[in-house]
Amino acid sequence: MNIKNCEVLELHKILEMLASKCSNPEAKKLAAETEPMDELSDVQREIDKTTLALELSVRYGSPVFYNIPDVSAALKRAQSGGVMSLDELIRIRRLLAQVQELYSWFTQIRDEDTSMLSYLFEQLFPDKSLLTRLETSIASETELTDDASAQLRSIRLKISRGGLKIRESLDRMIKSSSVTKYLQESVVTLRDGRFVLPVKTEYKSRVPGLVHDTSATGSTLFIEPMSVVEANNEIRILKGEEQDEIRRIIRELSDICAASAEKLISGYNAAAELDVYFSKANLAADMTAMTPEISDDGIIILNKARHPLLDKNKAVPINFSIGEQYKSLVITGPNTGGKTVVLKTVGLLTLMTMCGLLIPASDGSRISIYKKILVDIGDMQSIEHNLSTFSSHMNRVKEILDEADSESLVLLDELGSGTDPVEGAALAVAIIERIGKFGATLVTTTHYQELKMYALDTEGVENASCEFDTQTLKPTYRLIIGSPGKSNAFDISRSLGIDDDIIKHAKSLITEDNRRFENVIERLEQSRTELEASRKTLERERKEAEKIRAELEEEREKLYDRKERELEQARLEAENIVRNVRIESQHLVEELEAMKKEKDKADFSQKAAQAKGIQRRAINKLYDESMPEMESRNKDYVLPRPLKKGDKVLLADNGRRGILTSVPDASGSCFVQIGIMRTKVDVSKLRLIEEEEQKPVKQQKKSKGGAVTKNGVESRMTRKLSTELDIRGYAADEGVHEVDQFISDAIMSGVSMLTIIHGRGTGVLKNAVRNHLKRHRSVKSYRPGVYGEGEDGVTIVELK
């Protein structure tokens, strides 16, 4: 890829932004030297790595990268027997910390698909023991810690103790009246690593010892008293031993690092590459960039794309496409309308993709990979080479024509400008045709009417325009593909204060053909603007209608839910009323029975029977009131067969289940047993529960051992058993009886998991069933239902 073309499109500025996000000097170098790739597989692989780094950063946060200078030279010197400095060992320590940091970050994402980057993490070799050794041994670039070795600690302890003794001895001399009067100051100081006293020059002979130094004025001598000379000598010897031990430790650490040099260099290079990929991800996040679809078929589609060097809060996004119906695009419009920005945006986003960078555009964008991107943008006139603007452009166009082929993207700004308009336009058309024959993808800008007409008449060439607001007389910077634009020179000139007479005269000088063409373009632009306004209005109304529909749907759901809650509440209240009335009426009947025993008379028996009948009718009425009719969802239902006694049926009005106790009479009425209630129902309101219908079998008899025989009742072993039992509406004792029967059938059929539907209600039936299950010898365990099973309205039973 030609470096000059990349510079014209300002790729280097994007790479500088990338490098600024890198922490490692090697990573900064790699980022700044990134070159566009022209192989589809290579570009796709790099884009996938950047995309993965961005996804991982969003989920887990970006890993921390350290600023670590290159350690390769120091490690290679150590491998050759050299000794590293403490500063170099600190760099090694920092590198080991970086490797450990990245390795720890990688361990938390092992469950993710990291195949595109895992090879780099696999080049990291954590060495906790070496890291710990360096951390505990090195205090700074000039000092080892006491923990570097036991011998070093011992030597330093001896030096410390020896110095303390010398200070104590000198402190006593300072405090002595026989010595203090000879001192310049009552302090102990150091000269050449030895403890001395500051003695006045005139009293030199009064303090016997060795003179090590004198003050700048000569008034003070720094004398080492003879009493501490030996002790100072011992400290000097110990300090020599300390330096020997320090050199030994540094040599040892250098040898250890040299032994791991290859792993350390591998970790450094891997960390630098990872730094680049995660910097690409961070740059994408800053640009609000996305991963484009990538191909090499010459098709480019950009949705709401922005030039990455413009302020993303101010730049107007463009929609751009080329390569499907047309491979050449001619962009027209006023000066400063954004034509050149479109060229640079297309070229720069293509180059960014080829460098493995994500682009600032919206979903659905697509970039094609090219072997060459050939550019002529800007005024490249040269005084040195005596080239005019036109000459410099033609010189560059010649180079482009020499290089262009079917795998090239050509970007030409103001093609044919800088010379006679007629000749320039003709030349521009010829150049476009030649580039089209090569099969290259071409995007060019122009002001020439001839190129607009050429694009209208030529297959494979399309017009586009940068929109201009004739009301405000300012460009909107929107790109409109399929519509040629006007230069709007007259409107712009009038807005700048040019006299109307001049503008009218200028218009009169335009040829009739050009005037008609401009009028056609103007009418097309007006129609397009009106259609776009209509489309926006329709889109706004569609969204409003969609919003209203969603609100109505939500309101309908709320009303339905409220209706269900109110009906359920009404059912519960009615059931409570029925239960209370049943208890009271039962007490009344019991009182009548008691009275009957005391006075057994015919009329008394008749009254008792009447009381029972009244009680039954009252209960039936209350049950009907507690089960309000619901809208039937199947009004056209037809019974699949005539009903017979014992059929399980569903009451369409209230959804209750029951058992038919009598066949329908001539009027269509029959009796249905619902729990403890027996009610009269019209046959048209009944639905046969076919899936629960039991198949008739021959009469069977039980053997002596209790087995079922052919002449007795139906065998439970041969009956298909449902795993659900619905006992809603049953009294507690009746419900428990049904549960017992259900469990017995299940045991004989080999079923182990059962669902008992008892409803919530007052909890009497639920508690009775669960208390019974607690004591049942065939029940292994039971539990309330969970969400989706019916919750507390059902009990799940596991049999032994």
Side-chain angles (χ1 to χ4, degrees), residues 139 214 253 322 369 405 424 532 631 674 682 731:
T214 182
L253 293 175
I322 196 171
I369 304 306
D405 56 24
E532 186 167 344
E631 182 181 354
I674 304 175
D682 190 276

Side-chain angles (χ1 to χ4, degrees), residues 17 21 54 279-289 306 312:
M17 294 169 62
K21 291 191 172 295
L54 179 59
S279 294
K280 287 182 177 181
N282 291 332
L283 181 62
D286 288 349
M287 291 182 176
T288 318
R306 291 176 287 100
K312 66 179 181 180

Side-chain angles (χ1 to χ4, degrees), residues 549-613:
R549 188 199 65 78
E551 290 174 351
L552 290 174
E553 182 68 20
E554 183 180 358
E555 187 65 26
R556 189 184 70 83
E557 290 296 325
K558 289 180 179 178
L559 288 173
Y560 182 79
D561 291 342
R562 185 161 66 244
K563 174 185 173 184
E564 288 294 317
R565 289 195 300 270
E566 290 175 355
L567 285 174
E568 181 64 22
Q569 184 64 30
R571 291 190 189 103
L572 294 176
E573 292 175 357
E575 286 177 1
N576 287 333
I577 294 171
V578 171
R579 189 174 294 104
N580 293 334
V581 171
R582 183 177 64 82
I583 294 172
E584 292 177 2
S585 61
Q586 185 64 33
H587 289 163
L588 177 60
V589 172
E590 289 175 355
E591 290 176 3
L592 291 173
E593 289 289 347
M595 292 174 67
K596 178 182 176 184
K597 291 179 181 178
E598 295 177 0
K599 190 176 182 180
D600 190 7
K601 294 182 179 181
D603 61 341
F604 225 76
S605 297
Q606 185 179 358
K607 290 179 179 180
Q610 290 176 352
K612 288 183 178 180

Side-chain angles (χ1 to χ4, degrees), residues 20 63 156-157 173 196 203 213 243 245 268 302 327 348 399 411 414 578 638 696 705 708:
S20 69
R156 287 181 174 176
L157 183 59
M173 293 179 66
V196 296
Y203 298 118
D213 199 1
Q243 291 303 313
E245 180 62 13
Y268 180 80
L302 297 176
K327 295 202 69 174
L348 183 54
E399 294 175 359
L411 305 174
E414 299 294 350
V578 171
V638 178
V708 181

Side-chain angles (χ1 to χ4, degrees), residues 284-479:
D286 288 349
M287 291 182 176
T288 318
M290 52 76 68
T291 304
E293 181 184 349
I294 304 171
S295 66
D296 57 0
D297 54 8
I299 297 175
I300 299 177
I301 300 173
L302 297 176
N303 295 324
K304 295 182 179 179
R306 291 176 287 100
H307 193 288
L309 297 177
L310 298 178
D311 186 344
K312 66 179 181 180
N313 297 317
K314 297 180 180 179
V316 177
I318 63 167
N319 294 322
F320 177 92
S321 63
I322 196 171
E324 292 181 304
Q325 287 91 16
Y326 50 90
K327 295 202 69 174
S328 296
L329 188 66
V330 178
I331 304 175
T332 53
N335 290 324
T336 70
K339 302 189 299 298
T340 304
V341 172
V342 172
L343 288 183
K344 289 190 173 183
T345 300
V346 174
L348 183 54
L349 296 193
T350 301
L351 285 174
M352 287 175 62
T353 303
M354 293 168 68
C355 289
L357 294 167
L358 308 190
I359 61 174
S362 294
D363 293 340
S365 295
R366 176 173 176 175
I367 294 291
S368 179
I369 304 306
Y370 296 93
K371 297 291 184 182
K372 304 172 187 174
I373 296 181
L374 307 172
V375 181
D376 178 32
I377 297 176
D379 186 358
M380 295 179 285
Q381 63 178 320
S382 171
I383 297 176
E384 180 182 353
H385 294 95
N386 195 26
L387 293 178
S388 67
T389 299
F390 177 76
S391 299
S392 64
H393 278 299
M394 286 301 102
N395 189 45
R396 180 64 187 134
V397 168
K398 178 185 179 302
E399 294 175 359
I400 291 173
L401 292 174
D402 291 340
E403 295 184 59
D405 56 24
S406 60
E407 295 181 311
S408 301
L409 172 63
V410 181
L411 305 174
L412 302 177
D413 192 21
E414 299 294 350
L415 180 59
S417 63
T419 188
D420 177 77
V422 175
E423 294 180 355
L427 187 60
V429 169
I431 292 170
I432 293 175
E433 288 183 344
R434 174 62 64 86
I435 293 175
K437 289 180 181 179
F438 293 151
T441 302
L442 169 67
V443 185
T444 183
T445 67
T446 186
H447 286 285
Y448 292 144
Q449 298 283 26
E450 290 81 358
L451 265 66
K452 302 175 189 178
M453 297 175 66
Y454 172 76
L456 286 172
D457 295 337
T458 307
E459 184 178 356
V461 183
E462 184 59 273
N463 270 305
S465 61
C466 289
E467 190 179 52
F468 184 82
D469 191 336
T470 56
Q471 300 298 320
T472 63
L473 298 178
K474 292 182 180 179
T476 65
Y477 302 105
R478 291 180 57 218
L479 181 68

Side-chain angles (χ1 to χ4, degrees), residues 523-759:
R523 287 196 296 271
L524 286 173
E525 179 64 18
Q526 185 177 356
S527 298
R528 184 196 63 78
T529 304
E530 291 173 354
L531 286 172
E532 186 167 344
S534 299
R535 184 189 63 78
K536 288 181 179 179
T537 301
L538 289 173
E539 181 65 17
R540 183 174 63 255
E541 292 176 351
R542 185 193 66 79
K543 289 181 178 179
E544 290 176 357
E546 186 69 20
K547 181 181 178 182
I548 292 172
R549 188 199 65 78
E551 290 174 351
L552 290 174
E553 182 68 20
E554 183 180 358
E555 187 65 26
R556 189 184 70 83
E557 290 296 325
K558 289 180 179 178
L559 288 173
Y560 182 79
D561 291 342
R562 185 161 66 244
K563 174 185 173 184
E564 288 294 317
R565 289 195 300 270
E566 290 175 355
L567 285 174
E568 181 64 22
Q569 184 64 30
R571 291 190 189 103
L572 294 176
E573 292 175 357
E575 286 177 1
N576 287 333
I577 294 171
V578 171
R579 189 174 294 104
N580 293 334
V581 171
R582 183 177 64 82
I583 294 172
E584 292 177 2
S585 61
Q586 185 64 33
H587 289 163
L588 177 60
V589 172
E590 289 175 355
E591 290 176 3
L592 291 173
E593 289 289 347
M595 292 174 67
K596 178 182 176 184
K597 291 179 181 178
E598 295 177 0
K599 190 176 182 180
D600 190 7
K601 294 182 179 181
D603 61 341
F604 225 76
S605 297
Q606 185 179 358
K607 290 179 179 180
Q610 290 176 352
K612 288 183 178 180
I614 292 170
Q615 178 245 7
R616 188 179 298 108
R617 286 192 295 275
I619 290 175
N620 289 347
K621 182 179 179 182
L622 287 169
Y623 265 106
D624 289 340
E625 293 175 352
S626 70
M627 301 296 164
E629 290 189 2
M630 296 186 295
E631 182 181 354
S632 175
R633 297 187 180 180
N634 191 0
K635 295 180 180 180
D636 300 328
Y637 177 81
V638 178
L639 288 168
R641 61 171 174 77
L643 295 176
K644 60 184 179 180
K645 189 176 180 180
D647 280 341
K648 292 185 178 180
V649 293
L650 176 74
L651 274 69
D653 292 340
N654 54 32
R656 301 279 291 178
R657 296 184 179 214
I659 298 175
L660 195 70
T661 59
S662 69
V663 295
D665 57 19
S667 64
S669 297
C670 55
F671 285 94
V672 177
Q673 186 75 32
I674 304 175
I676 64 171
M677 178 184 69
R678 185 169 179 267
T679 184
K680 190 175 184 179
V681 183
D682 190 276
V683 70
S684 63
K685 296 182 179 181
L686 297 181
R687 305 288 183 263
L688 179 64
I689 304 176
E690 295 179 277
E691 64 272 13
E692 294 184 5
E693 183 180 359
Q694 299 175 357
K695 294 182 181 178
V697 296
K698 295 181 179 180
Q699 294 295 315
Q700 300 175 344
K701 293 182 180 179
K702 289 186 179 181
S703 64
K704 291 181 181 180
V708 181
T709 62
K710 291 183 180 180
N711 297 324
V713 296
E714 178 190 357
S715 171
R716 294 191 184 98
M717 294 296 291
T718 61
R719 184 174 61 187
K720 183 180 179 181
L721 179 73
S722 172
T723 59
E724 289 187 358
L725 174 64
D726 190 346
I727 56 172
R728 290 176 290 183
Y730 283 56
D733 53 344
E734 290 175 328
V736 169
H737 175 74
E738 288 293 321
V739 170
D740 267 337
Q741 194 73 27
F742 188 54
I743 292 175
S744 299
D745 292 349
I747 292 171
M748 297 182 69
S749 300
V751 178
S752 60
M753 296 296 296
L754 305 174
T755 301
I756 299 172
I757 306 172
H758 43 62

